[in-house]
Amino acid sequence: MSGVGGVKGSGVVSSGVTRVEVITSPAYHIVALRWSKQIITRAIVRRQRIGRSLAYAAARRHDSKLVSASQFHFGSWRAAVTAAGFDYDQCRLKPHWTRPEVIRVIKRAYRAGRNLRWSSVCKRRDRLGRAARAAINPRLFGSWPRSLAAAGLDADMISAYYRWTKVLVVSELRQRVADEAGLSAKEVSAEEPRLFAAGQRLFGSWAGALAKTGLNPHTAALRRVWTDQQVLAQLTKLARQYTVTDRWLRRKDLRLWGAVIRRYGTVRAALAKSH
């Protein structure tokens, strides 16, 4: 079988009267004359270690030979992944974003010179786009400017070419509610002047921005300090009459929703605490 070691890529070569398949995978540092169960499981482990998805669609798209070999030797891709020591159902789940992971993606994109304006990143279908859409979730940062600041970037400088939208203004206001921060024109204009200016410009007035967020402009400036006991008591009272979900509570009582999210993360967790 002389000459086999110099073959790159995958293919079929002759050695005397025998034809054997040469499998090389630079990404996994694996070279073999033919696929075997051991080589397949090693390739799957290596794939996971370098951060590639083990979901069938992703593996088939980027590594079809490995998937085909897995189906031949194990009967299915799921069986091969399981034999490699992984829970296939967990591998199929979408990535569970965390704050540190979002920050790493933002910093990497910044170093690479990527456009970090929201109107640009929200349209991306790559890892940066997915991180950006996850970042504005209240569970993480609640807004893109807050995400940039957490990554150590000057949010004000990026805002110089950052375009506010009605959706982003509402998102920022909801985050302030969750943080139990002041909502009066005086407080917001002093703490977040760009948010205040955008709210007035896009909704005609600050009162209009508050109303669009689901707040009463006449009472929004009155900051209520909730206690854990008050939050659970009010939530329990509502639960006796309605099916209380995060979405429903946010529409029904934004301030109570904010207090719940700040303390317990979700309405479900708060209700469980109250029992």
Side-chain angles (χ1 to χ4, degrees):
M1 296 188 180
S2 60
V4 170
V7 177
K8 296 182 179 180
S10 297
V12 177
V13 299
S14 295
S15 177
V17 294
T18 306
R19 290 169 61 82
V20 295
E21 186 175 3
V22 177
I23 305 107
T24 66
S25 181
Y28 308 138
H29 306 294
I30 293 172
V31 180
L33 294 180
R34 62 179 180 275
W35 289 105
S36 67
K37 289 188 174 182
Q38 182 182 12
I39 291 171
I40 290 169
T41 54
R42 283 171 56 198
I44 291 174
V45 170
R46 178 62 181 165
R47 180 180 177 86
Q48 192 275 339
R49 284 179 180 171
I50 63 177
R52 295 186 178 178
S53 172
L54 295 184
Y56 175 81
R60 188 75 187 180
R61 182 167 58 252
H62 301 297
D63 211 339
S64 59
K65 289 185 180 294
L66 173 60
V67 173
S68 296
S70 299
Q71 292 172 325
F72 178 80
H73 285 279
F74 289 94
S76 68
W77 175 246
R78 172 191 284 269
V81 171
T82 301
F86 300 105
D87 184 336
Y88 184 68
D89 289 328
Q90 288 297 319
C91 296
R92 296 174 59 196
L93 296 177
K94 294 181 179 179
H96 182 71
W97 288 97
T98 62
R99 289 190 176 195
E101 183 60 21
V102 169
I103 289 172
R104 280 194 292 270
V105 172
I106 292 175
K107 287 183 175 180
R108 192 178 302 122
Y110 181 74
R111 289 194 297 268
R114 300 285 186 268
N115 184 350
L116 293 178
R117 187 173 61 184
W118 173 254
S119 61
S120 173
V121 296
C122 71
K123 296 175 183 177
R124 300 177 69 101
R125 293 294 177 264
D126 57 3
R127 188 169 177 78
L128 174 58
R130 292 191 292 273
R133 288 185 287 277
I136 64 174
N137 188 299
R139 181 179 63 83
L140 296 179
F141 299 103
S143 73
W144 187 236
R146 291 174 188 268
S147 308
L148 295 174
L153 302 179
D154 189 332
D156 288 335
M157 288 186 64
I158 292 178
S159 294
Y161 57 87
Y162 179 87
R163 294 183 180 179
W164 285 93
T165 66
K166 290 184 177 181
V167 172
L168 290 176
V169 169
V170 170
S171 176
E172 277 289 284
L173 286 175
R174 285 176 175 166
Q175 186 60 43
R176 287 186 68 86
V177 170
D179 292 342
E180 298 183 11
L183 293 169
S184 68
K186 181 179 180 180
E187 290 172 303
V188 178
S189 61
E191 297 171 8
E192 298 189 70
R194 292 182 183 276
L195 169 61
F196 181 73
Q200 286 190 308
R201 183 178 72 255
L202 294 171
F203 295 99
S205 66
W206 186 242
L210 293 174
K212 189 65 177 180
T213 308
L215 297 165
N216 185 331
H218 301 295
T219 60
L222 303 176
R223 192 185 308 187
R224 175 177 180 178
V225 179
W226 291 88
T227 65
D228 289 349
Q229 185 177 5
Q230 289 173 329
V231 169
L232 295 178
Q234 184 64 16
L235 193 60
T236 301
K237 180 179 179 181
L238 290 173
R240 293 195 187 104
Q241 305 175 53
Y242 310 97
T243 300
V244 182
T245 63
D246 287 278
R247 178 178 293 183
W248 181 89
L249 185 61
R250 189 171 67 182
R251 292 177 178 177
K252 178 72 174 180
D253 191 332
L254 192 59
R255 286 189 176 277
L256 175 58
W257 171 80
V260 168
I261 297 303
R262 183 177 176 82
R263 288 168 173 77
Y264 305 102
T266 65
V267 169
R268 177 180 293 182
L271 287 172
K273 190 74 173 179
S274 66
H275 295 318

